[in-house]
Amino acid sequence: GMSIAVLGPTFQNLAANVHKNVSDIFYIFVGRSLGYLGGSVLGGVLFDCTNAHLLLALSMFGTTVGLYGIPWCKKSLLLTVLMSVIGASMGILDTGGNVLALNTWGAEAGPHMQALHFSFAVGAFVAPILAKMALGGSESKDLPVAEKTNQSVPRSVPTAPAASAASALKHHLGADFLWSYVVIGTYLLLVSLFFFILYSKGSSARDKSKASLQKRMFAKYHYALIILLFIFFFCYVGAEVTYGSYIFTYAKVFAEMKENEAAALNSVFWGAFAACRGVAIFCAACLYPGTMILLSIVGSAVSSSCLAFFARYPASLWVGTAVYGASMATIFPSGISWIEQYTVVQGKSASLFVIGAALGEMCIPAVVGYLQGRFHHVPVVMYTALVTSAMTVILFPLMYKLANSPGESHLKEMSESEDRKALLSNSGLNEDEE
């Protein structure tokens, strides 16, 4: 969460570092997204055949290297490459974190899954504050000097003291900009070292050998469920990112709010989102994942309907935004916990969920931006929220019916050689005894 969210408040510094305008380096987001998709695919393959703790440690270490290197980039190409490295590491981490949580806690993974995704929201909330504190302090210190200089000296004739003050301010801002990335990178380095320690103890390998002795059950319509949940996450994450990205513009253009009111409305959405994820940790201990998904999709359907038809009323806009943000908070972790009850979620399946979410995050906001540019007087954002909510309302009952369809589930049996190998490794027989 921190490594992704720190980009926003430091984006201007990155552009200045590579001697570009902000609008000229938009491709670093494309590089990070492509890296994320590639990392999700690669992680899905690797987590089925490699130690999970080692992969998580390496992905965190890759993110650390990227964060340490970004402030020193003077070329836009190198900056894009490092962004792709961070994106790939995040893709592996997102896939592996979900799989490891399911493999560790099994049927009791609900609260832990909610806590895992709540930690992402906390990191995304903390990183901009950390960057703003680092950059804002220096600006406030030098503001009186700058104001005094502007009042006493014409702009066309800069003086030596003014130039030296500007140079010192620029240098100080650069140091703070570097500091925010170093702090986050160091924290991730410590976490990666912790995973390396877990790997050295070999606990994951022992758990894997135990799991290999058990028959793993797949649902009758396993692949259909995976594909439907892929589409479900595509709609959900795309709607979440779209609303969070465009609600500020909507509030200013359609609701005619002031800039500070529009910013407050945006904060209400993400604040309700993060708060509900925190509450969901405790709710998951007493509610089934299916119940939480049902409550979420009903809340999103009702709130998006109010936003689509009654958003011109300020009270409806504020309440609808808060309810919509809270309703979107628990769907992703609850969806993964729910599908685990009916079929096996391996690395490849988890990577498909992450890829669906990433594609929704890329495609739906882009389409909404294009349509909003063509149809200026149509609230495309609100209609998109309504359509995606309707899609989730249709998809979840269909998935539930397939998951509970009558008929025997088929089992994934171990081959004869794997069975013999597992039995020998547990009984301690050597080749002569065999």
Side-chain angles (χ1 to χ4, degrees):
M2 288 195 297
S3 62
I4 291 178
V6 73
L7 177 61
T10 60
F11 192 51
Q12 291 182 344
N13 301 79
L14 294 178
N17 260 7
V18 297
H19 308 290
K20 299 277 188 180
N21 294 325
V22 172
S23 58
D24 294 334
I25 61 170
F26 67 92
Y27 45 80
I28 69 174
F29 292 101
V30 178
R32 189 177 70 176
S33 299
L34 292 177
Y36 185 86
L37 288 174
S40 301
V41 175
L42 182 63
V45 175
L46 293 179
F47 270 97
D48 287 337
C49 58
T50 313
N51 186 281
H53 293 152
L54 177 61
L55 283 177
L56 289 177
L58 291 175
S59 66
M60 299 290 280
F61 185 76
T63 308
T64 300
V65 172
L67 289 173
Y68 279 159
I70 280 176
W72 304 99
C73 285
K74 301 299 181 182
K75 300 293 183 180
S76 58
L77 178 61
L78 180 59
L79 179 61
T80 305
V81 170
L82 289 179
M83 282 293 178
S84 300
V85 171
I86 291 179
S89 301
M90 289 293 99
I92 295 174
L93 182 64
D94 283 357
T95 301
N98 292 320
V99 173
L100 186 60
L102 292 175
N103 291 342
T104 303
W105 288 287
E108 300 177 354
H112 304 91
M113 190 67 69
Q114 297 290 346
L116 176 67
H117 289 267
F118 172 67
S119 66
F120 176 87
V122 172
F125 176 76
V126 169
I129 296 176
L130 178 65
K132 188 174 182 180
M133 288 175 61
L135 296 174
S138 57
E139 291 176 354
S140 61
K141 292 177 189 175
D142 293 284
L143 186 59
V145 177
E147 289 179 351
K148 185 176 179 181
T149 304
N150 289 335
Q151 290 175 359
S152 58
V153 181
R155 292 183 180 181
S156 59
V157 188
T159 61
S164 61
S167 177
L169 175 61
K170 183 178 178 180
H171 175 75
H172 191 59
L173 285 173
D176 288 335
F177 162 59
L178 171 66
W179 175 251
S180 60
Y181 276 83
V182 169
V183 169
I184 297 174
T186 303
Y187 169 76
L188 295 180
L189 178 61
L190 294 176
V191 177
S192 68
L193 291 176
F194 179 73
F195 277 110
F196 275 120
I197 293 173
L198 290 178
Y199 168 68
S200 65
K201 291 184 176 181
S203 59
S204 180
R206 289 194 296 269
D207 293 340
K208 190 173 181 180
S209 65
K210 292 178 182 178
S212 66
L213 297 176
Q214 300 175 355
K215 295 178 179 180
R216 309 195 68 188
M217 185 177 297
F218 283 80
K220 182 179 180 180
Y221 300 102
H222 171 79
Y223 294 105
L225 285 171
I226 297 299
I227 293 173
L228 287 175
L229 200 58
F230 172 91
I231 301 172
F232 185 88
F233 285 147
F234 177 90
C235 296
Y236 151 69
V237 176
E240 171 200 322
V241 174
T242 299
Y243 196 86
S245 301
Y246 289 104
I247 184 58
F248 180 86
T249 304
Y250 174 88
K252 290 184 64 177
V253 175
F254 289 93
E256 299 180 350
M257 287 185 173
K258 297 179 181 178
E259 186 168 340
N260 58 343
E261 293 178 337
L265 184 66
N266 199 358
S267 299
V268 165
F269 175 77
W270 290 114
F273 182 87
C276 193
R277 276 200 168 177
V279 174
I281 299 174
F282 305 98
C283 293
C286 56
L287 293 177
Y288 291 110
T291 304
M292 297 185 67
I293 294 176
L294 183 61
L295 293 174
S296 296
I297 61 176
V298 169
S300 65
V302 172
S303 57
S304 62
S305 300
C306 293
L307 290 170
F309 300 110
F310 304 105
R312 62 182 180 274
Y313 302 107
S316 177
L317 181 59
W318 285 94
V319 175
T321 298
V323 175
Y324 190 66
S327 301
M328 303 293 280
T330 64
I331 292 181
F332 193 88
S334 298
I336 297 177
S337 300
W338 175 81
I339 195 68
E340 175 67 11
Q341 295 178 337
Y342 299 97
T343 189
V344 175
V345 178
Q346 296 176 313
K348 297 183 183 66
S349 301
S351 70
L352 282 177
F353 302 154
V354 175
I355 291 170
L359 288 176
E361 182 179 350
M362 291 173 59
C363 298
I364 295 182
V367 172
V368 169
Y370 173 77
L371 293 176
Q372 193 65 76
R374 295 289 300 273
F375 306 100
H376 301 284
H377 303 292
V378 178
V380 180
V381 178
M382 299 305 178
Y383 291 152
T384 302
L386 179 61
V387 170
T388 51
S389 296
M391 285 291 296
T392 58
V393 170
I394 294 171
L395 285 172
F396 182 66
L398 180 59
M399 291 189 296
Y400 186 83
K401 184 177 181 180
L402 288 178
N404 292 277
S405 61
E408 294 182 357
S409 299
H410 57 279
L411 302 177
K412 180 184 178 182
E413 302 285 354
M414 292 186 300
S415 66
E416 215 176 78
S417 60
E418 290 176 343
D419 197 1
R420 183 183 304 166
K421 184 178 178 180
L423 290 174
L424 290 176
S425 63
N426 279 269
S427 61
L429 297 178
N430 54 33
E431 291 182 1
D432 295 335
E433 291 173 331
E434 181 183 3

Coordinates of all heavy atoms in Angstrom, one line a residue, residues 22 27 45 154 167 174 214 263 285 301 331 335 362 400 403:
V22 N 4.9 17.0 -15.9 CA 4.1 15.9 -15.3 C 3.3 15.2 -16.4 O 3.2 13.9 -16.4 CB 3.1 16.5 -14.3 CG1 2.2 15.4 -13.8 CG2 3.9 17.0 -13.1
Y27 N 3.6 7.5 -19.0 CA 3.8 6.2 -19.3 C 4.4 5.4 -18.2 O 4.5 4.1 -18.2 CB 4.8 6.1 -20.5 CG 5.9 7.0 -20.5 CD1 7.1 6.7 -19.7 CD2 5.9 8.2 -21.2 CE1 8.1 7.6 -19.7 CE2 7.0 9.1 -21.1 CZ 8.1 8.8 -20.4 OH 9.1 9.7 -20.3
V45 N 2.2 -19.0 -11.4 CA 2.9 -20.2 -11.8 C 3.9 -20.6 -10.7 O 4.0 -21.8 -10.3 CB 3.6 -20.0 -13.1 CG1 4.5 -21.2 -13.5 CG2 2.6 -19.7 -14.2
P154 N 11.0 43.1 -7.8 CA 10.3 42.7 -9.0 C 10.7 41.3 -9.5 O 11.8 40.9 -9.4 CB 10.7 43.8 -10.1 CG 11.2 44.9 -9.2 CD 11.8 44.3 -8.0
S167 N 17.7 28.1 -4.4 CA 18.6 26.9 -4.5 C 18.6 26.0 -3.3 O 18.5 24.8 -3.4 CB 20.0 27.4 -4.8 OG 20.9 26.3 -4.9
G174 N 14.6 18.2 -2.3 CA 15.1 17.0 -2.9 C 15.5 16.0 -1.8 O 15.2 14.8 -1.9
Q214 N -2.8 -35.0 1.5 CA -4.2 -34.9 1.6 C -4.8 -34.8 0.1 O -4.2 -34.2 -0.8 CB -4.6 -33.6 2.3 CG -4.1 -33.7 3.8 CD -4.3 -32.4 4.5 OE1 -4.8 -31.4 3.9 NE2 -4.0 -32.3 5.7
A263 N -12.9 17.8 -2.5 CA -11.8 17.0 -1.9 C -12.3 16.3 -0.7 O -12.0 15.1 -0.4 CB -10.6 17.9 -1.5
A285 N -15.3 -12.8 11.7 CA -15.2 -13.9 12.7 C -16.6 -14.5 13.0 O -16.7 -15.6 13.6 CB -14.6 -13.4 14.0
A301 N -25.6 -1.7 -4.6 CA -26.7 -1.6 -5.6 C -27.6 -0.4 -5.2 O -28.0 0.4 -6.0 CB -27.4 -2.9 -5.7
I331 N -15.5 -6.7 -0.5 CA -15.9 -7.7 -1.5 C -14.7 -8.5 -1.9 O -14.9 -9.7 -2.1 CB -16.5 -6.9 -2.7 CG1 -17.9 -6.3 -2.3 CG2 -16.7 -7.9 -3.9 CD1 -18.6 -5.6 -3.5
G335 N -14.6 -12.4 -1.3 CA -14.8 -13.3 -2.5 C -13.8 -14.4 -2.5 O -14.1 -15.5 -2.8
M362 N -7.5 -0.9 -15.0 CA -6.9 -0.3 -16.2 C -8.0 0.1 -17.2 O -8.0 1.3 -17.7 CB -5.9 -1.2 -16.8 CG -4.6 -1.4 -16.1 SD -3.6 -2.7 -16.8 CE -3.3 -1.9 -18.4
Y400 N -23.1 -18.7 -6.8 CA -23.6 -19.5 -5.7 C -24.3 -20.8 -6.1 O -24.2 -21.8 -5.5 CB -24.5 -18.6 -4.8 CG -24.9 -19.2 -3.5 CD1 -24.1 -19.2 -2.4 CD2 -26.2 -19.9 -3.5 CE1 -24.5 -19.8 -1.2 CE2 -26.6 -20.5 -2.3 CZ -25.8 -20.4 -1.2 OH -26.2 -21.0 0.0
A403 N -21.7 -23.3 -7.4 CA -20.9 -23.8 -6.3 C -21.7 -24.9 -5.5 O -21.1 -25.8 -5.0 CB -20.5 -22.7 -5.3

